[in-house]
Amino acid sequence: MVWTVAGTALLAVAAAAYGAANGQGDAGGGDAKPEALSSGAATPSASPTPAPEDLAPALDRITANLAGRRLSVALMDTESGEWAAYGEGAFDTASIVKVDILATLLLQAQDAGRVLTAKEQTYAADMIQNSDNDATSALWTVIGSATGLDAANKRLGLIETQGGDGTVWGVTQTTAEDQVRLLRSVFGADSPLSEPSRAYIQGLMHHIAPGQDWGISVVADDPSATALKNGWLERTLTKKWDVNSIGQVEIDGRTYFMAVLTNGHTTQEAGISFVEEASRAAVREIAALR
């Protein structure tokens, strides 16, 4: 993904657009009292469709010798509503939880009839675009940690995600299917998030820092157009890596929500390679099913 504008300029553009959409002329005026945000549409249903296609024919071939690693994949065709899935069980989110944290923050701001402060916008941009952990910890506290995240997720349609204990947001537990539900709330009109809130998250996800733009973008018609958030975490005890990738991606002219969750890798690089291999295999299977 090519970052064609300097990071500070992107932050200014995203903040200005968010503020203007909500009646805030100066994005830096965090203490102003702008027009309250609409709460948006009703809470989305829990599952995109009742019966996903099975990706096992393609993905079983690459997981036959996982040797302690695990994989789960979910995709949803945004036009037809059809979706496909592979694997089961919960995974550490690592940094993909940052999208959920920002969605929670924006939903709470809507409820309070305010827009994000200038500092919150700075934290949000650093958290999503640069995957900054200090900014994430600050916003994790603002939203009320796991309690706030879990409450928002009930409204966002997530049913298989549990916020991490205490300050450890990176070990929030989730499933690939729940990440598709989150993406549907971030990108779809049927969402408790208002249009300005959704556009704000989308804008940040479209401008991920160079070096963090791997993952599901590898299957895109135009990787630079992918809205993305990746996550990576080395577990302290096992020294094994969680590596995840979520986002909205264009494939053969169709738009998909896609989540690939993995764990148990010996290195981050090995995890990234496996995520991209799984992404390609899943997309080949989807093409065969159509």
Side-chain angles (χ1 to χ4, degrees), residues 47-51 75-84 184 254:
S47 179
T49 63
L75 301 90
M76 176 181 172
D77 185 320
T78 64
E79 181 178 350
S80 68
E82 296 176 348
W83 68 306
R184 190 177 56 167
R254 301 179 74 89

Side-chain angles (χ1 to χ4, degrees), residues 2 98 106 118 125 133 153 163 189 228-229 255:
V2 179
K98 294 170 182 179
L106 288 163
N133 290 338
N153 282 343
L228 185 67
K229 185 70 193 84
T255 303

Side-chain angles (χ1 to χ4, degrees), residues 41-114:
T43 301
S45 57
S47 179
T49 63
E53 296 283 355
D54 187 4
L55 294 172
L59 294 178
D60 276 350
R61 290 192 290 272
I62 70 169
T63 59
N65 297 303
L66 278 181
R69 293 176 293 169
R70 293 175 56 228
L71 168 70
S72 187
V73 178
L75 301 90
M76 176 181 172
D77 185 320
T78 64
E79 181 178 350
S80 68
E82 296 176 348
W83 68 306
Y86 178 86
E88 58 187 19
F91 290 71
D92 296 334
T93 55
S95 287
I96 62 170
V97 75
K98 294 170 182 179
V99 175
D100 201 0
I101 291 171
L102 182 52
T104 298
L105 177 67
L106 288 163
L107 195 57
Q108 291 177 348
Q110 289 176 198
D111 292 344
R114 69 175 186 89

Side-chain angles (χ1 to χ4, degrees), residues 39 44 73 79 143 199 213 229 240 285:
S39 61
V73 178
E79 181 178 350
I143 67 168
D213 50 0
K229 185 70 193 84
K240 298 300 176 92
E285 184 67 14

